[in-house]
PDB file of all heavy atoms in Angstrom:
ATOM      1  N   LYS A 783     -14.597 -28.980  16.577  1.00  0.00           N
ATOM      2  CA  LYS A 783     -15.453 -27.848  16.204  1.00  0.00           C
ATOM      3  C   LYS A 783     -14.683 -26.773  15.417  1.00  0.00           C
ATOM      4  O   LYS A 783     -14.838 -25.583  15.643  1.00  0.00           O
ATOM      5  CB  LYS A 783     -16.098 -27.204  17.437  1.00  0.00           C
ATOM      6  CG  LYS A 783     -16.827 -28.147  18.344  1.00  0.00           C
ATOM      7  CD  LYS A 783     -18.131 -28.574  17.760  1.00  0.00           C
ATOM      8  CE  LYS A 783     -18.912 -29.342  18.822  1.00  0.00           C
ATOM      9  NZ  LYS A 783     -19.794 -30.299  18.289  1.00  0.00           N
ATOM     10  N   GLN A 784     -13.838 -27.227  14.481  1.00  0.00           N
ATOM     11  CA  GLN A 784     -13.109 -26.298  13.617  1.00  0.00           C
ATOM     12  C   GLN A 784     -14.092 -25.655  12.645  1.00  0.00           C
ATOM     13  O   GLN A 784     -15.249 -26.064  12.534  1.00  0.00           O
ATOM     14  CB  GLN A 784     -12.013 -27.036  12.841  1.00  0.00           C
ATOM     15  CG  GLN A 784     -10.910 -27.570  13.704  1.00  0.00           C
ATOM     16  CD  GLN A 784      -9.965 -26.496  14.179  1.00  0.00           C
ATOM     17  OE1 GLN A 784      -9.795 -25.476  13.527  1.00  0.00           O
ATOM     18  NE2 GLN A 784      -9.377 -26.717  15.335  1.00  0.00           N
ATOM     19  N   SER A 785     -13.602 -24.675  11.888  1.00  0.00           N
ATOM     20  CA  SER A 785     -14.495 -23.987  10.955  1.00  0.00           C
ATOM     21  C   SER A 785     -14.929 -24.931   9.832  1.00  0.00           C
ATOM     22  O   SER A 785     -14.184 -25.824   9.424  1.00  0.00           O
ATOM     23  CB  SER A 785     -13.796 -22.761  10.371  1.00  0.00           C
ATOM     24  OG  SER A 785     -12.723 -23.162   9.556  1.00  0.00           O
ATOM     25  N   LYS A 786     -16.124 -24.717   9.350  1.00  0.00           N
ATOM     26  CA  LYS A 786     -16.703 -25.599   8.340  1.00  0.00           C
ATOM     27  C   LYS A 786     -15.939 -25.526   7.022  1.00  0.00           C
ATOM     28  O   LYS A 786     -15.862 -26.507   6.288  1.00  0.00           O
ATOM     29  CB  LYS A 786     -18.172 -25.232   8.081  1.00  0.00           C
ATOM     30  CG  LYS A 786     -19.036 -25.284   9.312  1.00  0.00           C
ATOM     31  CD  LYS A 786     -19.230 -26.691   9.808  1.00  0.00           C
ATOM     32  CE  LYS A 786     -20.200 -26.661  10.971  1.00  0.00           C
ATOM     33  NZ  LYS A 786     -19.993 -27.738  11.887  1.00  0.00           N
ATOM     34  N   GLY A 787     -15.347 -24.372   6.713  1.00  0.00           N
ATOM     35  CA  GLY A 787     -14.589 -24.235   5.469  1.00  0.00           C
ATOM     36  C   GLY A 787     -13.369 -25.139   5.439  1.00  0.00           C
ATOM     37  O   GLY A 787     -13.063 -25.773   4.422  1.00  0.00           O
ATOM     38  N   VAL A 788     -12.660 -25.211   6.560  1.00  0.00           N
ATOM     39  CA  VAL A 788     -11.483 -26.075   6.652  1.00  0.00           C
ATOM     40  C   VAL A 788     -11.884 -27.534   6.517  1.00  0.00           C
ATOM     41  O   VAL A 788     -11.244 -28.315   5.810  1.00  0.00           O
ATOM     42  CB  VAL A 788     -10.744 -25.828   7.988  1.00  0.00           C
ATOM     43  CG1 VAL A 788      -9.625 -26.816   8.193  1.00  0.00           C
ATOM     44  CG2 VAL A 788     -10.225 -24.413   8.059  1.00  0.00           C
ATOM     45  N   ILE A 789     -12.964 -27.892   7.184  1.00  0.00           N
ATOM     46  CA  ILE A 789     -13.442 -29.274   7.125  1.00  0.00           C
ATOM     47  C   ILE A 789     -13.884 -29.630   5.707  1.00  0.00           C
ATOM     48  O   ILE A 789     -13.601 -30.723   5.212  1.00  0.00           O
ATOM     49  CB  ILE A 789     -14.591 -29.488   8.137  1.00  0.00           C
ATOM     50  CG1 ILE A 789     -14.064 -29.325   9.555  1.00  0.00           C
ATOM     51  CG2 ILE A 789     -15.232 -30.854   7.961  1.00  0.00           C
ATOM     52  CD1 ILE A 789     -15.129 -29.314  10.622  1.00  0.00           C
ATOM     53  N   LEU A 790     -14.533 -28.689   5.030  1.00  0.00           N
ATOM     54  CA  LEU A 790     -14.999 -28.936   3.667  1.00  0.00           C
ATOM     55  C   LEU A 790     -13.835 -29.151   2.708  1.00  0.00           C
ATOM     56  O   LEU A 790     -13.846 -30.087   1.903  1.00  0.00           O
ATOM     57  CB  LEU A 790     -15.863 -27.772   3.187  1.00  0.00           C
ATOM     58  CG  LEU A 790     -16.415 -27.880   1.777  1.00  0.00           C
ATOM     59  CD1 LEU A 790     -17.373 -29.059   1.679  1.00  0.00           C
ATOM     60  CD2 LEU A 790     -17.111 -26.601   1.378  1.00  0.00           C
ATOM     61  N   VAL A 791     -12.811 -28.317   2.800  1.00  0.00           N
ATOM     62  CA  VAL A 791     -11.648 -28.466   1.920  1.00  0.00           C
ATOM     63  C   VAL A 791     -10.935 -29.782   2.193  1.00  0.00           C
ATOM     64  O   VAL A 791     -10.531 -30.500   1.259  1.00  0.00           O
ATOM     65  CB  VAL A 791     -10.688 -27.270   2.102  1.00  0.00           C
ATOM     66  CG1 VAL A 791      -9.370 -27.515   1.415  1.00  0.00           C
ATOM     67  CG2 VAL A 791     -11.324 -25.996   1.588  1.00  0.00           C
ATOM     68  N   LEU A 792     -10.794 -30.144   3.450  1.00  0.00           N
ATOM     69  CA  LEU A 792     -10.156 -31.399   3.814  1.00  0.00           C
ATOM     70  C   LEU A 792     -10.980 -32.590   3.338  1.00  0.00           C
ATOM     71  O   LEU A 792     -10.433 -33.579   2.836  1.00  0.00           O
ATOM     72  CB  LEU A 792      -9.974 -31.448   5.327  1.00  0.00           C
ATOM     73  CG  LEU A 792      -8.960 -32.416   5.899  1.00  0.00           C
ATOM     74  CD1 LEU A 792      -7.587 -32.148   5.333  1.00  0.00           C
ATOM     75  CD2 LEU A 792      -8.935 -32.293   7.411  1.00  0.00           C
ATOM     76  N   ALA A 793     -12.299 -32.502   3.456  1.00  0.00           N
ATOM     77  CA  ALA A 793     -13.173 -33.585   3.001  1.00  0.00           C
ATOM     78  C   ALA A 793     -13.118 -33.744   1.479  1.00  0.00           C
ATOM     79  O   ALA A 793     -13.125 -34.868   0.967  1.00  0.00           O
ATOM     80  CB  ALA A 793     -14.598 -33.328   3.451  1.00  0.00           C
ATOM     81  N   LEU A 794     -13.056 -32.624   0.761  1.00  0.00           N
ATOM     82  CA  LEU A 794     -12.946 -32.712  -0.700  1.00  0.00           C
ATOM     83  C   LEU A 794     -11.625 -33.359  -1.108  1.00  0.00           C
ATOM     84  O   LEU A 794     -11.582 -34.179  -2.027  1.00  0.00           O
ATOM     85  CB  LEU A 794     -13.081 -31.326  -1.328  1.00  0.00           C
ATOM     86  CG  LEU A 794     -14.470 -30.715  -1.310  1.00  0.00           C
ATOM     87  CD1 LEU A 794     -14.423 -29.280  -1.810  1.00  0.00           C
ATOM     88  CD2 LEU A 794     -15.425 -31.541  -2.143  1.00  0.00           C
ATOM     89  N   GLY A 795     -10.553 -32.992  -0.441  1.00  0.00           N
ATOM     90  CA  GLY A 795      -9.259 -33.610  -0.726  1.00  0.00           C
ATOM     91  C   GLY A 795      -9.269 -35.100  -0.434  1.00  0.00           C
ATOM     92  O   GLY A 795      -8.730 -35.901  -1.199  1.00  0.00           O
ATOM     93  N   ALA A 796      -9.891 -35.482   0.680  1.00  0.00           N
ATOM     94  CA  ALA A 796      -9.976 -36.899   1.033  1.00  0.00           C
ATOM     95  C   ALA A 796     -10.800 -37.665   0.003  1.00  0.00           C
ATOM     96  O   ALA A 796     -10.419 -38.760  -0.418  1.00  0.00           O
ATOM     97  CB  ALA A 796     -10.594 -37.055   2.417  1.00  0.00           C
ATOM     98  N   ALA A 797     -11.907 -37.081  -0.429  1.00  0.00           N
ATOM     99  CA  ALA A 797     -12.754 -37.752  -1.417  1.00  0.00           C
ATOM    100  C   ALA A 797     -12.041 -37.901  -2.754  1.00  0.00           C
ATOM    101  O   ALA A 797     -12.136 -38.961  -3.399  1.00  0.00           O
ATOM    102  CB  ALA A 797     -14.051 -36.968  -1.599  1.00  0.00           C
ATOM    103  N   MET A 798     -11.288 -36.881  -3.153  1.00  0.00           N
ATOM    104  CA  MET A 798     -10.555 -36.973  -4.417  1.00  0.00           C
ATOM    105  C   MET A 798      -9.437 -38.015  -4.338  1.00  0.00           C
ATOM    106  O   MET A 798      -9.231 -38.774  -5.286  1.00  0.00           O
ATOM    107  CB  MET A 798      -9.986 -35.603  -4.802  1.00  0.00           C
ATOM    108  CG  MET A 798     -11.036 -34.641  -5.287  1.00  0.00           C
ATOM    109  SD  MET A 798     -10.380 -33.152  -6.053  1.00  0.00           S
ATOM    110  CE  MET A 798      -9.468 -32.436  -4.714  1.00  0.00           C
ATOM    111  N   CYS A 799      -8.732 -38.073  -3.220  1.00  0.00           N
ATOM    112  CA  CYS A 799      -7.682 -39.077  -3.053  1.00  0.00           C
ATOM    113  C   CYS A 799      -8.255 -40.494  -3.070  1.00  0.00           C
ATOM    114  O   CYS A 799      -7.724 -41.382  -3.744  1.00  0.00           O
ATOM    115  CB  CYS A 799      -6.911 -38.858  -1.756  1.00  0.00           C
ATOM    116  SG  CYS A 799      -5.693 -37.559  -1.830  1.00  0.00           S
ATOM    117  N   LEU A 800      -9.328 -40.692  -2.323  1.00  0.00           N
ATOM    118  CA  LEU A 800      -9.945 -42.030  -2.297  1.00  0.00           C
ATOM    119  C   LEU A 800     -10.506 -42.410  -3.654  1.00  0.00           C
ATOM    120  O   LEU A 800     -10.351 -43.552  -4.105  1.00  0.00           O
ATOM    121  CB  LEU A 800     -11.046 -42.079  -1.226  1.00  0.00           C
ATOM    122  CG  LEU A 800     -10.557 -42.093   0.215  1.00  0.00           C
ATOM    123  CD1 LEU A 800     -11.732 -41.940   1.164  1.00  0.00           C
ATOM    124  CD2 LEU A 800      -9.794 -43.356   0.517  1.00  0.00           C
ATOM    125  N   GLY A 801     -11.153 -41.453  -4.313  1.00  0.00           N
ATOM    126  CA  GLY A 801     -11.715 -41.750  -5.635  1.00  0.00           C
ATOM    127  C   GLY A 801     -10.652 -42.083  -6.660  1.00  0.00           C
ATOM    128  O   GLY A 801     -10.770 -43.063  -7.406  1.00  0.00           O
ATOM    129  N   SER A 802      -9.588 -41.307  -6.704  1.00  0.00           N
ATOM    130  CA  SER A 802      -8.536 -41.587  -7.692  1.00  0.00           C
ATOM    131  C   SER A 802      -7.780 -42.857  -7.337  1.00  0.00           C
ATOM    132  O   SER A 802      -7.346 -43.600  -8.221  1.00  0.00           O
ATOM    133  CB  SER A 802      -7.585 -40.401  -7.820  1.00  0.00           C
ATOM    134  OG  SER A 802      -6.967 -40.126  -6.594  1.00  0.00           O
TER     135      SER A 802
END
Side-chain angles (χ1 to χ4, degrees):
K783 307 286 189 208
Q784 293 285 333
S785 67
K786 302 291 185 208
V788 173
I789 295 172
L790 180 64
V791 169
L792 199 58
L794 288 173
M798 287 192 299
C799 281
L800 288 172
S802 60

